[in-house]
Amino acid sequence: MGVVEVQVLRAKDLNRKDLFTNDDAFVELYTNDRNYKQRTRVVQSATPEWNQTFTLNYEHEHVVHFHVLDKDIVGSDGIGYAKFDFKHLHHGRPEATELTLYASPLDFTPNGYLTVVVTVKS
């Protein structure tokens, strides 16, 4: 089992889900097992900034999945999805990247952008 560190920095150009206010955006992230999701705090902004760091375990799949959501009183609406394959990264060398968010893994219409830094720790 390995460890990857993910810093979720910010998002921009998000497709709005709330009509009268800014979205209450947060990010769920995970590697192999969806049961072990981690999430950022909720930020009400058209351009949310989180600057939060997470440590995730991985086994065979070298991919981090990101779901940006809008927190509602009841439930959450999906804003966008992205994934980052970190198989090419060198151990201990961080890589900053801006990911394109899509409505779903099968929809290729951009719904905004998410900036992250990924570092393979072991």
Side-chain angles (χ1 to χ4, degrees), residues 7-12 14 27-28 40 48 50 65-68 80-82 97-101 112-116:
Q7 187 177 14
V8 179
L9 298 178
R10 71 188 69 79
K12 67 179 184 179
L14 298 177
V27 181
E28 286 186 344
T40 65
W50 296 281
H65 302 266
F66 300 91
H67 292 268
V68 179
Y81 167 83
T97 188
E98 183 175 89
L99 303 170
T100 302
L101 298 167
Y113 302 92
L114 179 68
T115 303
V116 300

Side-chain angles (χ1 to χ4, degrees), residues 76-104:
S76 301
D77 298 320
I79 296 174
Y81 167 83
K83 63 183 178 178
F84 180 76
D85 186 337
F86 57 89
K87 187 179 257 184
H88 68 282
L89 294 185
H90 292 67
H91 180 271
R93 188 176 301 165
E95 181 168 318
T97 188
E98 183 175 89
L99 303 170
T100 302
L101 298 167
Y102 299 103
S104 75

Side-chain angles (χ1 to χ4, degrees), residues 38-56:
Q38 295 193 38
R39 65 172 53 177
T40 65
R41 67 185 177 284
V42 175
V43 175
Q44 186 180 30
S45 172
T47 55
E49 294 202 20
W50 296 281
N51 198 24
Q52 287 183 259
T53 303
F54 301 90
T55 301
L56 302 168

